[in-house]
Amino acid sequence: MKPNLGITDKNLKAIHELLNNALADGNMLYIKLRKFHWNLAGDNFMELHQLFEEQYNALELSIDEVAERISTLGGTAIGTTSEFASASQLKENPGKVPTNQEMLKELVSDHETIVRALREMIDDIEEKYEDKGTADLLTGLMQKHEKLAWKLRKYFKN
Ligand SMILES: [Fe+2]
């Protein structure tokens, strides 16, 4: 049964696509955090091992909220790694294990990329596509990524 929520079909379609992009970014970063959690070595091993785990657990929850929002709005959430890779703007580096410092830098940068993408998305979804519910969900998600980025950025003095 089609939802009748006061959002036009055309707008819903655009929102589904934007949310699938956010879902793809979340999943790409989730996978990267797991890889880094598994492959850390040296200084701060256990601390970073736990920090990365805390972050991918946080992402697991937010990814689910985004996917279920797509379904709530009558859309289909993508759910394969190849779709995630093509819909995401985050980059993977297969076969490479960065140093702990490089991991931290890359993760900060990925969170910030997501924050910037969400900020733009929120404006469009609220103003152009008139969906305050999704704008609110994504605003919370953006704040979550801002905080996750902060916890990693603090490993650098300047
Ligand atoms: Fe683990």
Side-chain angles (χ1 to χ4, degrees):
M1 201 164 123
K2 230 167 95 175
N4 180 13
L5 304 171
I7 306 167
T8 65
D9 285 355
K10 194 169 159 253
N11 287 356
L12 280 174
K13 219 173 150 230
I15 296 162
H16 298 157
E17 199 179 325
L18 290 174
L19 283 172
N20 268 319
N21 293 341
L23 181 63
D25 283 341
N27 274 286
M28 293 287 280
L29 187 49
Y30 174 84
I31 293 166
K32 190 178 288 187
L33 279 159
R34 298 215 65 146
K35 174 184 172 181
F36 288 179
H37 165 84
W38 295 325
N39 291 294
L40 280 155
D43 287 347
N44 302 322
F45 164 75
M46 189 48 74
E47 187 184 318
L48 295 178
H49 186 66
Q50 284 167 352
L51 178 60
F52 293 174
E53 181 171 347
E54 184 188 301
Q55 296 221 344
Y56 70 64
N57 284 335
L59 258 62
E60 190 188 347
L61 298 177
S62 54
I63 284 164
D64 198 53
E65 281 181 16
V66 172
E68 289 177 3
R69 181 73 192 165
I70 297 170
S71 194
T72 300
L73 298 177
T76 303
I78 56 172
T80 63
T81 49
S82 55
E83 286 167 305
F84 293 147
S86 67
S88 173
Q89 42 179 326
L90 302 186
K91 299 274 166 288
E92 292 183 319
N93 297 298
K96 287 196 184 127
V97 176
T99 64
N100 295 4
Q101 288 293 99
E102 286 166 347
M103 286 182 189
L104 285 164
K105 267 194 193 149
E106 189 173 337
L107 293 172
V108 170
S109 165
D110 283 356
H111 278 299
E112 290 177 342
T113 298
I114 291 176
V115 167
R116 291 193 304 273
L118 288 172
R119 195 181 300 288
E120 215 170 287
M121 225 179 260
I122 291 161
D123 285 344
D124 278 350
I125 286 176
E126 183 148 23
E127 286 152 29
K128 229 158 102 187
Y129 306 126
E130 300 175 315
D131 175 4
K132 287 194 187 305
T134 297
D136 181 63
L137 175 82
L138 295 182
T139 301
L141 180 62
M142 182 181 73
Q143 288 170 325
K144 201 166 174 181
H145 281 284
E146 284 172 339
K147 189 157 187 183
L148 293 169
W150 163 72
K151 285 191 178 174
L152 300 167
R153 198 185 298 114
K154 279 293 181 184
Y155 281 90
F156 302 92
K157 284 202 180 110
N158 42 41

